[in-house]
């Protein structure tokens, strides 16, 4: 397949980051696998391959004769679970996610159909009212609730777990490994530890089940295939944890676009599906307040998994430490 098509490679700012794409044997095998999987669906590639290389993935847009393009993705070991997870999500919640055309769990490869227009592209093209963000958060909360009974199965697929009662231990591990922290910052985090334990216990007391947290739910990780409908994808940073930890990233994106006044609307929209079971709106708002702050633990851990670096001087250590420090900041609501 490689010899039949022109190939355009995008490395962005990661010009010197190594990826398996540089290995000819890997590249030939990957493209042969894509051709084989397409053939099994009665499809044939045709056109220019567009390759996006990042330290955390190899992504190839493959044009297909007579229909939309498909996407090949190869994950590193830290997110090798993404293909099997995506396939499982398509069984459990097909209306919310992409259904893979093929998955090779051993090699961490997945072939995905086109999901439609990115929400980011919609935002760049036309005015979008805050109520659209409200709807996407309602749909995402519905997905999380659907997945809650499958949390153990999700963990068995290799998805990391930082369940609510385990968050203090996760904080301790991150603090120990965060070699990029300055002494003063480390002292501030050490002093925070007793309060953090109380926050985690209070968050657990509201009885909201741990489930899948996308952990990086921004406008570039959402398709908007039709008005009012969203498809969630790119699960490489996912973790099993408190669901409300997912709220921070999309809410921050919306706040940057519309101003701080939008937060109350988004919060109410996201929390609406979680009402019931004796929980009051005040309980849910308090839980969201706590989870907003604690959500940085998953982000800090994700940076460490994506850029493992024993020296402590690489981008993973720096970004993990920066994320961890955000736990010191009060939530904006």
């Amino acid at each position: 397949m490689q010899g039949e098509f022109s190939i355009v490679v995008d490395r962005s700012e990661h010009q010197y980051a190594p990826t398996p794409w540089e290995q000819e044997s890997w590249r030939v095998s990957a493209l042969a696998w894509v051709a084989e999987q397409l053939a099994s669906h009665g499809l044939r590639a045709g056109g220019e391959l567009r390759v996006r290389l990042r330290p955390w993935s190899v992504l190839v847009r493959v044009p297909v004769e007579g229909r939309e393009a498909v996407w090949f993705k190869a994950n590193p070991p830290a997110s090798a679970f993404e293909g099997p997870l995506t396939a499982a999500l398509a069984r459990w919640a097909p209306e919310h996610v992409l259904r893979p055309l093929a998955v090779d769990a051993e090699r961490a490869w997945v072939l995905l159909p086109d999901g439609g227009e990115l929400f980011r592209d919609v935002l760049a093209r036309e005015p979008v009212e805050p109520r659209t963000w409200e709807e996407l958060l309602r749909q995402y909360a519905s997905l999380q609730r659907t997945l809650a009974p499958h949390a153990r199965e999700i963990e068995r697929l290799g998805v990391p777990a930082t369940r609510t009662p385990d968050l203090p231990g996760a904080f301790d591990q991150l603090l120990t490994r965060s070699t990029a922290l300055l002494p003063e910052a480390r002292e501030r985090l050490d002093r925070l530890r007793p309060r953090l334990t109380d926050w985690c216990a209070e968050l657990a007391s509201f009885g909201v089940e741990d489930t899948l947290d996308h952990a990086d739910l921004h406008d570039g990780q959402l398709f908007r295939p039709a008005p009012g409908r969203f498809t969630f994808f790119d699960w490489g940073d996912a973790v099993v944890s408190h669901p409300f930890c997912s709220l921070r990233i999309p809410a921050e994106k919306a706040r940057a676009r519309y101003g701080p006044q939008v937060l109350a609307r988004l919060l109410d929209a996201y929390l609406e599906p979680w009402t019931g079971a004796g929980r009051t709106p005040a309980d849910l708002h308090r839980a969201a307040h706590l989870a907003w702050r604690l959500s940085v633990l998953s982000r800090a851990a994700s940076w460490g998994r994506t850029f493992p670096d024993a020296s402590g001087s690489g981008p993973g250590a720096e970004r993990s430490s920066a994320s961890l420090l955000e736990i010191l900041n009060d939530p904006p609501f």
Side-chain angles (χ1 to χ4, degrees):
M1 178 173 160
Q2 182 178 355
E4 303 172 21
F5 305 101
S6 61
I7 299 176
V8 176
V9 177
D10 162 29
R11 294 179 180 273
S12 186
E13 71 269 23
H14 307 283
Q15 293 297 314
Y16 305 106
T19 73
W21 183 262
E22 283 76 46
Q23 305 167 25
E24 183 178 4
S25 60
W26 185 95
R27 189 168 63 246
V28 169
S29 295
L31 295 180
W33 181 79
V34 171
E36 178 184 341
Q37 301 308 318
L38 287 175
S40 72
H41 289 275
L43 304 173
R44 177 182 169 86
E48 183 179 76
L49 302 180
R50 292 190 169 270
V51 182
R52 195 194 75 164
L53 302 180
R54 302 291 186 266
W56 50 86
S57 70
V58 172
L59 187 67
V60 184
R61 182 184 185 274
V62 183
V64 176
E65 295 178 355
R67 57 162 284 172
E68 299 88 355
V70 299
W71 298 83
F72 165 79
K73 185 174 185 180
N75 289 84
S79 57
F81 59 80
E82 185 175 1
L85 173 62
T86 303
L89 297 182
R91 295 193 300 271
W92 298 327
E95 69 276 19
H96 292 299
V97 299
L98 296 175
R99 180 179 296 276
L101 297 171
V103 173
D104 186 323
E106 185 175 345
R107 292 187 286 191
W109 293 351
V110 61
L111 191 64
L112 295 162
D114 188 82
E117 191 171 25
L118 277 177
F119 187 44
R120 175 174 292 168
D121 294 340
V122 176
L123 293 171
R125 190 188 69 243
E126 63 188 44
V128 175
E129 295 296 322
R131 63 175 177 270
T132 302
W133 294 72
E134 295 172 36
E135 181 55 31
L136 79 83
L137 287 172
R138 286 192 194 93
Q139 291 182 28
Y140 177 68
S142 176
L143 170 61
Q144 288 185 295
R145 294 202 64 182
T146 298
L147 297 176
H150 301 286
R152 292 296 179 192
E153 295 169 84
I154 292 172
E155 288 183 54
R156 286 194 288 271
L157 293 173
V159 178
T162 311
R163 289 180 173 268
T164 305
D166 301 328
L167 287 169
F171 173 81
D172 292 341
Q173 291 180 6
L174 286 165
L175 192 56
T176 299
R177 297 171 184 168
S178 294
T179 53
L181 285 172
L182 296 175
E184 181 183 357
R186 185 177 295 277
E187 290 177 11
R188 292 181 67 196
L189 290 170
D190 277 330
R191 291 196 299 270
L192 186 72
R193 178 60 163 80
R195 293 177 63 199
L196 182 139
T197 302
D198 292 341
W199 293 335
C200 296
E202 184 181 2
L203 182 59
S205 73
F206 294 114
V208 177
E209 289 184 277
D210 290 325
T211 183
L212 190 64
D213 169 14
H214 185 287
D216 194 22
L217 190 64
H218 58 71
D219 48 22
Q221 314 279 43
L222 295 160
F223 291 117
R224 206 284 303 263
R229 191 161 67 86
F230 296 90
T231 301
F232 305 96
F233 74 103
D234 202 340
W235 299 94
D237 291 314
V239 62
V240 174
S241 192
H242 197 284
F244 295 2
C245 290
S246 289
L247 179 63
R248 180 172 184 154
I249 290 177
E252 285 184 331
K253 295 292 184 181
R255 179 175 62 162
R257 177 172 289 269
Y258 303 105
Q261 68 279 1
V262 78
L263 287 178
R265 295 177 57 177
L266 298 186
L267 191 62
D268 287 345
Y270 175 75
L271 295 176
E272 181 184 335
W274 302 95
T275 55
R279 292 185 289 266
T280 67
D283 291 337
L284 293 173
H285 278 72
R286 176 59 179 167
H289 179 93
L290 295 167
W292 180 286
R293 191 190 290 263
L294 295 167
S295 66
V296 304
L297 300 179
S298 292
R299 294 297 299 150
S302 178
W303 282 120
R305 288 193 301 271
T306 303
F307 296 96
D309 178 14
S311 71
S313 59
E318 294 175 2
R319 293 179 180 181
S320 179
S321 295
S323 293
L324 186 57
L325 284 170
E326 291 180 26
I327 203 168
L328 297 167
N329 301 330
D330 290 329
F333 61 90

